[in-house]
């Protein structure tokens, strides 16, 4: 298969849907030589903050001259962004070669009467085989959903388990209570392997601590950074780490949630230092160099356009805090598009009143909530809500609101699935001007 054929095959597999569980992915990995057994892994689960945390950690390790593999999902802007080494996407030719090999093994499995692996199981196997082939010195793996039964949870031992902020999301799969979701996320904890956990609610922290104790795993809690100063385009921070050292650096991404994600990354780096990775001296520079697309990302400055992938109530609450910190007294036009399986009513309740006006859209996703329905919900909390026919129209309407001085800036947030279109339309509009 060439790259285009490989992508077509993966699209067909995607139509089969998703299934939580480890039996199928472990069988597929066995068929390709169990690459997961040959990797040094940092494994991260959580509701929010996984991507940003691993972005910080990736840059710390890269600054220390390690070969760093990274697997994260879903893809937002480019399909190949999910699998990267030293922040370079997997090449099209190598992806096609791996998919060809995996298809052959999937065909063998189905011929023997086993279920066909899901898309995420194939992507996970592809990433692990790629990192093994390229001899990565350390690999950063992000759970797709949950933890215990997530397809990435195939490691007997890891260098470090990481649990970022946990809140209610994917409840149809993970449970309706925060305690149930916490236990699912804690399923990545391994015997005698250290755990770094973001500061959580008491209920969640107690569960993680209990499970860590049962497995003989030391739990390190990374606390939200409280000593910081807001600067243009970023934040100067001081973090008193668990080793007694105060680390000073600058986060060059706006976002209140980065005050906890960066702390988690620092604590993981210190665990790696104890494991023999010489990274401590690169913490400050690595964090300072980090950029992560789609997280409080400034796409354009005239008019100011910011995009953010806040897509559940926990993330939306953090987004509101970020607006108050970094865009104080700014009048903002929102563009909002969400998926139907999210708690969009709670999201609206949290953030709607912060806007001057709100424009809703329907993301290009089979799970999308119709923008007209979202507008109806938002009108319970805001008087000026409009439903746009397309993302392009929404952006035009938002730009007009700035030109007419009804607002000072534009914020597009919600489902990650439409942020790519926002960036594309914004770039095309800039070219036309």
């Amino acid at each position: 298969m060439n790259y285009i054929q490989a992508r077509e095959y993966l699209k067909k597999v995607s139509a089969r849907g998703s299934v939580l569980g480890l039996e199928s992915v472990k069988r597929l990995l066995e068929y390709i030589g169990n690459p997961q057994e040959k990797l040094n892994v940092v494994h991260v689960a959580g509701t929010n903050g996984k991507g940003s945390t691993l972005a910080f950690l990736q840059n710390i390790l890269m600054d220390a001259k390690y070969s760093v593999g990274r697997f994260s999902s879903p893809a937002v802007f480019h399909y190949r962004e999910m699998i990267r080494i030293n922040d370079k996407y997997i090449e099209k030719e190598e992806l096609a070669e791996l998919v060809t090999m995996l298809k052959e093994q999937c065909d063998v499995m189905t011929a023997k009467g086993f279920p066909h692996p899901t898309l995420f199981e194939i992507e996970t196997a592809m990433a692990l085989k790629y990192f093994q082939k390229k001899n990565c010195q350390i690999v950063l793996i992000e759970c797709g959903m949950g933890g215990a039964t997530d397809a990435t949870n195939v490691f007997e031992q890891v260098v470090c388990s990481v649990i970022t902020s946990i809140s209610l999301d994917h409840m149809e799969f993970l449970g309706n209570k925060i305690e149930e979701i916490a236990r699912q996320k804690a399923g990545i904890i391994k015997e005698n392997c250290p755990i770094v956990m973001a500061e959580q609610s008491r209920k969640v922290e107690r569960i993680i601590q209990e499970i860590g104790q049962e497995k003989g795993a030391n739990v390190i809690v990374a606390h939200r950074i409280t000593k910081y100063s807001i600067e243009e385009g970023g934040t100067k921070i001081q973090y008193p780490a668990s080793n007694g050292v105060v680390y000073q650096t600058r986060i060059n991404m706006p976002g209140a949630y980065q005050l906890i994600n960066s702390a988690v990354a620092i604590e993981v780096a210190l665990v790696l230092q104890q494991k023999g990775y010489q990274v401590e001296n690169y913490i400050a520079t690595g964090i300072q160099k980090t950029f992560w697309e789609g997280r409080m990302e400034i796409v354009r400055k005239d008019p100011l356009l910011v995009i953010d992938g806040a897509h559940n109530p926990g993330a939306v609450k953090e987004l509101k805090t970020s607006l108050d910190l970094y865009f104080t007294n700014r009048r903002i036009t929102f563009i909002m598009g969400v998926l139907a399986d999210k708690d969009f009513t709670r999201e609206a309740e949290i953030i709607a009143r912060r806007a001057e006006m709100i424009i809703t859209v329907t993301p290009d996703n089979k799970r999308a909530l119709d923008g007209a329905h979202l507008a109806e919900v938002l009108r319970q909390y805001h008087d000026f809500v409009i439903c746009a026919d397309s993302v392009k129209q929404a952006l035009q309407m938002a730009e007009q609101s700035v030109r007419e001085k009804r607002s000072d800036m534009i914020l597009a947030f919600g489902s990650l699935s439409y942020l790519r279109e926002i960036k594309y339309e914004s770039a095309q509009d800039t070219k036309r001007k």
Side-chain angles (χ1 to χ4, degrees):
M1 283 188 281
N2 58 30
Y3 179 71
I4 294 173
Q5 291 168 330
R7 288 298 309 277
E8 286 301 316
Y9 167 71
L10 293 174
K11 286 178 184 177
K12 289 178 182 177
V13 174
S14 178
R16 296 172 179 266
S18 300
V19 179
L20 290 175
L22 300 176
E23 185 177 346
S24 184
V25 70
K26 284 186 174 182
R27 183 177 292 113
L28 178 59
L29 288 167
E30 184 178 353
Y31 278 34
I32 64 172
N34 285 317
Q36 76 280 9
E37 296 177 358
K38 305 171 183 70
L39 300 173
N40 299 313
V41 172
V42 174
H43 195 197
V44 59
T47 308
N48 296 308
K50 299 187 295 294
S52 294
T53 298
L54 288 190
F56 284 125
L57 191 57
Q58 171 190 268
N59 280 279
I60 292 169
L61 286 159
M62 284 173 57
D63 247 26
K65 307 303 180 186
Y66 287 98
S67 174
V68 189
R70 181 172 165 200
F71 176 56
S72 58
S73 68
V76 180
F77 300 103
H78 310 280
Y79 180 74
R80 292 181 294 119
E81 75 187 36
M82 292 192 301
I83 301 173
R84 57 180 85 186
I85 295 176
N86 290 346
D87 214 24
K88 293 182 179 179
Y89 302 166
I90 182 173
E91 295 289 341
K92 290 181 178 180
E93 294 77 12
E94 291 189 281
L95 186 146
E97 180 182 319
L98 286 165
V99 171
T100 301
M101 180 269 293
L102 287 163
K103 179 184 182 301
E104 292 172 357
Q105 299 306 320
C106 290
D107 290 344
V108 172
M109 287 175 61
T110 55
K112 291 182 177 181
F114 296 118
H116 195 291
T118 66
L119 174 64
F120 188 61
E121 289 168 344
I122 292 172
E123 290 169 340
T124 299
M126 176 166 51
L128 298 178
K129 189 66 177 178
Y130 180 61
F131 298 146
Q132 180 216 341
K133 178 182 175 182
K134 295 295 185 179
N135 297 312
C136 290
Q137 293 169 288
I138 190 161
V139 171
L140 313 178
I141 302 291
E142 178 184 330
C143 282
M145 180 171 61
T149 56
D150 186 81
T152 63
N153 195 27
V154 293
F155 310 103
E156 293 297 323
Q157 293 284 295
V158 294
V159 179
C160 186
S161 298
V162 184
I163 299 177
T164 62
S165 175
I166 294 175
S167 60
L168 294 173
D169 199 8
H170 297 298
M171 291 179 286
E172 69 275 27
F173 296 104
L174 306 180
N176 294 315
K177 295 181 179 179
I178 193 71
E179 296 92 336
E180 294 173 328
I181 293 175
R183 290 190 181 280
Q184 279 288 328
K185 306 289 186 185
I188 70 165
I189 295 173
K190 302 294 183 288
E191 296 282 346
N192 303 312
C193 296
I195 308 156
V196 172
M197 170 179 61
E199 183 179 277
Q200 311 274 352
S201 68
R202 288 184 180 179
K203 288 181 180 179
V204 171
E205 284 197 9
R206 184 171 62 250
I207 288 168
I208 306 300
Q209 293 280 7
E210 287 174 358
I211 294 173
Q213 189 173 13
E214 288 169 7
K215 297 199 173 185
N218 181 43
V219 180
I220 300 159
V221 180
H223 296 282
R224 182 183 286 265
I225 294 168
T226 57
K227 292 185 178 181
Y228 62 88
S229 57
I230 305 298
E231 300 178 342
E232 184 178 356
T235 314
K236 191 174 181 180
I237 63 168
Q238 295 182 52
Y239 176 64
S242 58
N243 65 351
V245 177
V246 177
Y247 294 90
Q248 300 184 51
T249 185
R250 174 186 159 94
I251 303 171
N252 283 313
M253 300 184 289
Y257 44 81
Q258 304 302 5
L259 296 173
I260 185 63
N261 297 334
S262 57
V264 174
I266 291 170
E267 294 292 359
V268 177
L270 294 177
V271 169
L272 296 181
Q273 180 75 24
Q274 293 176 350
K275 296 277 187 174
Y277 292 87
Q278 301 302 310
V279 295
E280 186 177 4
N281 292 337
Y282 301 93
I283 287 173
T285 55
I287 286 177
Q288 194 165 341
K289 290 178 180 178
T290 300
F291 169 74
W292 188 224
E293 282 187 292
R295 277 66 176 181
M296 289 299 288
E297 179 184 355
I298 297 174
V299 173
R300 195 172 61 198
K301 292 188 175 181
D302 186 22
L304 182 59
L305 170 61
V306 177
I307 62 173
D308 190 80
H311 60 281
N312 56 51
V316 169
K317 185 177 179 182
E318 291 285 355
L319 173 60
K320 184 177 182 298
T321 302
S322 297
L323 295 178
D324 293 340
L325 276 175
Y326 295 91
F327 302 102
T328 310
N329 300 322
R330 291 287 191 106
R331 299 172 303 151
I332 309 172
T333 292
F334 287 175
I335 300 174
M336 186 175 179
V338 302
L339 301 184
D341 54 8
K342 303 298 180 181
D343 190 356
F344 49 84
T345 301
R346 177 62 182 141
E347 293 174 26
E349 182 183 3
I350 291 168
I351 204 168
R353 295 182 182 88
R354 183 65 176 81
E356 290 297 313
M357 67 178 289
I358 306 174
I359 304 164
T360 64
V361 297
T362 306
D364 183 14
N365 188 300
K366 61 184 179 181
R367 293 157 50 207
L369 179 72
D370 185 84
H373 182 64
L374 177 60
E376 290 178 13
V377 173
L378 286 162
R379 289 186 185 110
Q380 299 176 47
Y381 307 98
H382 202 287
D383 294 331
F384 196 177
V385 182
I386 305 169
C387 178
D389 294 331
S390 65
V391 169
K392 182 177 182 179
Q393 185 188 54
L395 199 53
Q396 290 171 343
M397 294 166 71
E399 289 169 347
Q400 184 176 351
S401 76
V402 176
R403 286 196 301 270
E404 295 176 353
K405 307 299 183 184
R406 291 200 300 268
S407 60
D408 306 314
M409 62 175 284
I410 304 162
L411 169 71
F413 72 99
S415 170
L416 291 165
S417 58
Y418 85 100
L419 296 185
R420 178 181 180 180
E421 193 175 352
I422 286 280
K423 286 190 75 168
Y424 173 79
E425 290 296 341
S426 175
Q428 292 301 110
D429 189 48
T430 301
K431 287 179 182 178
R432 286 191 291 268
K433 290 179 179 178

